[in-house]
Amino acid sequence: MRALITGGAGFVGSHLAETLLDRGHEVLALDNLATGSIDNISHLKGRAGFAYAIESVTNEPVLAELIDRSDVVFHLAAAVGVKLIVEEPVHTIETNVHGTEVVLKHANKKKKLVVIASTSEVYGKSTAVPFREDADLVMGPTPKHRWAYACSKAIDEFLALAYWKEKKLPVIIVRLFNTVGPRQTGQYGMVLPTFVRQALAGHPITVFGDGTQSRSFTYVGDVVDALVKLVQEPRAVGEVFNIGNGAEISIADLATKVKALTRSESPIVTIPYDQAYEAGFEDMPRRVPDIGKLRTLIGYEPKVQLDEIVCRVIDYFRKR
Ligand code: UDP
């Protein structure tokens, strides 16, 4: 197949591009380098079947042309990272809603299969752990900017499902749970690369809040493997899937793990949320996926577990 990846120079997009090429597919990568980086795809530039365009998804003539030339669209281009979202809420909402709107509109003209990358953030403050795809979404109030991200992605999901229902555009929605691995920078606030960089530099490891909040981290290779399998499974169309790893860890324990695996002397410090983000910031206390639906459909089982993930991220930063 020939795949268009929006956000193809991003962290997940570049890994997906590489995996598709390794499996004999062709890739068109579209990225405006807002948070993506040309370094992420420089090793792919000479490969047969790979082409890229540095452009925004909102450049509709370019987008339409690339969609025409593709069999499937992986729409990964989005504003990501809680720090960025809190600091630039207008950009977040406009990028996420408008980008998806134009991708679906143009894909619909030729009825090309579209995968919409959503997020575990849509579960919001729900405490119904582990989160199932059919569970209620529990958002915080609109003055708290963090929730704009969840809402923008929930709108993307609604719109994609509406295209499927009303216009029979084939869509698949995936909710990614804290995806981590090499090439994720931490520049936009993601916790694992931030902790690893801090530990390697001997700087304090900054746990926000009291550190009892938990996350489940998924290796990027497991995520892209699931994405490639899903587009080859006709029964995935019109459905929503969690992609994650069920193993849960508190952020305080993650800090301890990173410190141990890097053999760092860094102190672990706690920083109140108000200082880390903004006054009144609300975090999600727990975030764990139910991966039963994905397991049943494509036999999904995450292969890389947290210690190995952390070691790979450490290796990546050491080499840089
Ligand atoms: N976090 C932290 N220290 C940091 C960055 C993040 O303690 O330097 C916390 C953050 O408050 C959240 C968790 O780590 O509870 C995961 O944050 P991240 O931004 O990676 O992803 P999120 O799950 O919030 O989307």
Side-chain angles (χ1 to χ4, degrees):
M1 64 186 155
R2 186 187 282 151
L4 169 62
I5 306 175
T6 72
F11 160 56
V12 179
S14 64
H15 281 279
L16 176 61
E18 195 168 339
T19 296
L20 287 166
L21 291 170
D22 287 349
R23 296 184 192 175
H25 304 292
E26 291 180 41
V27 172
L28 302 170
L30 174 65
D31 203 301
N32 67 354
L33 302 185
T35 54
S37 162
I38 204 75
D39 290 346
N40 288 342
I41 53 169
S42 51
H43 64 298
L44 302 178
K45 279 184 191 169
R47 286 187 62 167
F50 181 71
Y52 68 99
I54 304 304
E55 194 44 84
S56 166
V57 281
T58 56
N59 182 332
E60 295 191 43
V62 171
L63 178 71
E65 167 66 18
L66 293 175
I67 289 177
D68 277 0
R69 287 164 51 197
S70 309
D71 306 305
V72 53
V73 182
F74 292 94
H75 178 45
L76 307 183
V80 286
V82 177
K83 194 160 164 267
L84 179 71
I85 282 144
V86 168
E87 285 166 7
E88 297 182 31
V90 173
H91 167 76
T92 300
I93 298 167
E94 289 184 353
T95 305
N96 293 358
V97 176
H98 185 54
T100 302
E101 200 181 334
V102 292
V103 165
L104 290 168
K105 181 175 91 177
H106 288 287
N108 186 51
K109 290 184 182 154
K110 302 284 169 68
K111 300 290 181 217
K112 299 287 173 75
L113 174 62
V114 185
V115 177
I116 297 288
S118 183
T119 168
S120 54
E121 182 89 10
V122 296
Y123 292 105
K125 296 189 279 184
S126 170
T127 51
V129 172
F131 299 138
R132 276 172 53 113
E133 291 85 347
D134 55 3
D136 286 344
L137 311 182
V138 186
M139 303 291 166
T142 50
K144 296 190 190 288
H145 294 303
R146 179 208 183 114
W147 304 114
Y149 177 58
C151 275
S152 68
K153 286 291 186 175
I155 282 288
D156 289 352
E157 294 195 17
F158 275 124
L159 189 62
L161 293 171
Y163 263 97
W164 167 237
K165 181 171 185 234
E166 210 177 302
K167 301 175 191 292
K168 287 287 159 269
L169 172 70
V171 299
I172 301 169
I173 290 157
V174 290
R175 294 180 180 160
L176 307 188
F177 280 69
N178 295 71
T179 303
V180 287
R183 290 187 210 143
Q184 190 179 38
T185 64
Q187 205 180 332
Y188 307 101
M190 286 85 172
V191 67
L192 181 59
T194 303
F195 281 4
V196 169
R197 283 160 69 134
Q198 290 168 334
L200 290 177
H203 296 157
I205 300 175
T206 54
V207 171
F208 299 161
D210 64 5
T212 55
Q213 74 273 26
S214 76
R215 295 294 186 268
S216 332
F217 294 91
T218 319
Y219 188 62
V220 64
D222 285 325
V223 171
V224 302
D225 195 49
L227 292 175
V228 177
K229 285 192 178 123
L230 276 174
V231 297
Q232 293 168 325
E233 171 50 68
R235 288 173 298 169
V237 170
E239 297 289 336
V240 181
F241 298 93
N242 291 334
I243 304 184
N245 181 326
E248 181 182 13
I249 185 169
S250 74
I251 297 303
D253 287 349
L254 180 71
T256 306
K257 189 183 280 295
V258 169
K259 182 173 158 118
L261 290 172
T262 49
R263 296 193 182 82
S264 172
E265 300 288 314
S266 293
I268 297 174
V269 299
T270 52
I271 297 179
Y273 285 121
D274 289 10
Q275 279 174 36
Y277 298 107
E278 62 179 0
F281 179 84
E282 287 181 328
D283 202 0
M284 294 175 72
R286 292 179 71 192
R287 189 190 275 172
V288 187
D290 182 321
I291 52 175
K293 186 172 177 186
L294 196 60
R295 185 185 286 132
T296 305
L297 192 69
I298 59 166
Y300 170 81
E301 215 52 70
K303 293 193 185 73
V304 187
Q305 305 306 326
L306 190 56
D307 280 28
E308 176 62 24
I309 297 174
V310 175
C311 289
R312 290 187 194 189
V313 173
I314 293 169
D315 271 2
Y316 170 73
F317 281 110
R318 281 215 167 107
K319 285 188 185 122
R320 278 163 69 96

